[in-house]
Amino acid sequence: MTYAPVTVSLPIADRVTAHRFYSDGLGLEAVGELADDGLPEPLQFVVNDGLRLMLIPTGGFGWVIGPHEVATRGQSECVLSLGVASPADADAIVERARAAGAEVLTEPTAQPWGYAGAFADPDGHLWMVSAE
């Protein structure tokens, strides 16, 4: 069985802020029909051919997860990782994210497993950027 694309859905507080961060900060392409606010609905970004990121206002998560509560900002159950070709690419992505409002948690540096840095998006979701 093949699953493509896989969609990762994250709760967000504000569509405009999230759109700006992921388009300007990470350079991802938004896809879909435009809603009244001028942004795609649902708000989805293409990460690569097999992966999409869907951003759902926190209140809208209820129809997906039922009675399970969405984690509050600053609490995360996963780290989303982006693999890049070089340390310079990792530096560039972390700097773009910082300029777009990310909180840089770990400056890019050599780690035992490679070169990596980590940041939290405006909603507190954790991202790691790494190069081998």
Side-chain angles (χ1 to χ4, degrees), residues 90-91 106-117 129 131:
D91 291 341
T106 305
E107 294 290 341
T109 190
Q111 302 288 347
W113 63 88
Y115 187 87
V129 181

Side-chain angles (χ1 to χ4, degrees), residues 7-44:
T7 301
V8 173
S9 299
L10 300 174
I12 58 169
D14 181 76
R15 284 171 42 85
V16 173
T17 300
H19 179 267
R20 184 180 319 113
F21 179 80
Y22 283 96
S23 61
D24 296 346
L26 295 186
L28 298 178
E29 175 191 355
V31 295
E33 298 289 324
L34 299 183
D36 292 341
D37 63 2
L39 302 177
E41 177 59 42
L43 184 54
Q44 290 190 60

Side-chain angles (χ1 to χ4, degrees), residues 68-91:
H68 184 84
E69 292 185 33
V70 173
T72 59
R73 188 185 188 295
Q75 295 182 343
S76 182
E77 295 177 348
C78 71
V79 175
L80 302 159
S81 298
L82 294 172
V84 296
S86 70
D89 291 340
D91 291 341

